[in-house]
Amino acid sequence: VDTWAFGSLTWTGGGYAVRSPIAAKAALFDAPASVSGSGVDGSVEFPIQFGFDGAYSAAPHGPVPSTPVAGAVDQDPDQTFDPNDPTRTTAIPLTTDGAAFLRLRVAAQDLAVADPDVDLDIYLYDSAGNEVASSTAGGTDELIELVLPPDDTWTLYVHGWQTAGGPVEFEVQTWAVPATPSTGALVIDDAPSIAAIGAVGTIRASWVGLDPAAEYVGAVSHSSASGLIGLTLVDITT
């Protein structure tokens, strides 16, 4: 599982031999990395194919709405990020405690005043001062995601690579999906309970009573008898 294996198929005939390389990587399951739904009440369904035999369970996590963190940042004159030089960089403390998934976003819609010329970047550091992730896309379209982040106190740096003439006000949208199942509105309506190699099943999940005009993130966890084997994210727009 999770290891590449290599082989080949050789076609022969008419005095010729043609070799076709083959690469395969075994997995315990195959399911979408994420699915999307909408509405204060709603549902999603998606397929799952198994690569093992034995017990299987699906569990719901969340969903949680975004927790926005407001800030402002000005132009960095040399456009060079340095966590030890706070000039034109805003540091935002974050804490994770029992999270299955962490998403951090600063996008154009998260600016107080939309401006296509503004280009903010984000960098995530752990409590030991190590850079864990960064997002430095052109324009302000930044996203950091961590699966099963450790419990820690983090620092998210928002860097003013280009602010188009003055300070820029922004909101960092944060989602921390709980690792503890069945703690939110998401429920599993139907899912296989037994896995068989090559078998395909369907998982159905639903929710009711979410707040309108919000962005939620939840997850369906996939587990075998040995424990967690993966997540499928559930993005919900109400």
Side-chain angles (χ1 to χ4, degrees):
V1 173
D2 290 330
T3 301
W4 283 104
F6 302 92
S8 64
L9 176 66
T10 302
W11 309 76
T12 59
Y16 295 94
V18 179
R19 178 176 176 270
S20 299
I22 297 173
K25 186 178 183 182
L28 290 174
F29 74 99
D30 181 31
S34 65
V35 294
S36 299
S38 61
V40 295
D41 306 332
S43 64
V44 293
E45 69 174 55
F46 58 90
I48 182 169
Q49 184 173 22
F50 296 106
F52 70 97
D53 295 319
Y56 165 80
S57 61
H61 301 258
V64 295
S66 169
T67 300
V69 181
V73 68
D74 208 340
Q75 177 71 50
D76 184 344
D78 63 7
Q79 296 184 309
T80 301
F81 170 72
D82 181 353
N84 298 312
D85 180 5
T87 302
R88 309 306 188 250
T89 299
T90 298
I92 296 174
L94 301 168
T95 300
T96 50
D97 183 10
F101 176 77
L102 176 67
R103 175 180 289 171
L104 308 173
R105 187 193 77 195
V106 180
Q109 64 262 40
D110 301 317
L111 303 178
V113 178
D115 187 339
D117 293 328
V118 170
D119 187 349
L120 306 185
D121 297 325
I122 57 176
Y123 300 80
L124 184 65
Y125 281 67
D126 63 17
S127 58
N130 301 308
E131 182 179 324
V132 176
S134 64
S135 179
T136 59
T140 301
D141 186 18
E142 314 306 337
L143 183 69
I144 290 176
E145 297 180 330
L146 299 181
V147 177
L148 299 177
D151 295 346
D152 202 353
T153 299
W154 312 78
T155 302
L156 181 73
Y157 294 96
V158 181
H159 180 227
W161 192 86
Q162 180 171 289
T163 64
V168 171
E169 296 182 356
F170 61 84
E171 285 188 337
V172 178
Q173 305 297 333
T174 71
W175 294 265
V177 179
T180 302
S182 302
T183 53
L186 192 66
V187 296
I188 303 297
D189 298 314
D190 189 27
S193 59
I194 298 294
I197 292 177
V200 178
T202 299
I203 295 174
R204 296 181 180 86
S206 63
W207 60 90
V208 296
L210 301 185
D211 293 333
E215 296 177 82
Y216 283 81
V217 179
V220 173
S221 62
H222 308 283
S223 298
S224 68
S226 299
L228 180 69
I229 57 175
L231 297 174
T232 293
L233 300 179
V234 181
D235 293 300
I236 304 170
T237 302
T238 60

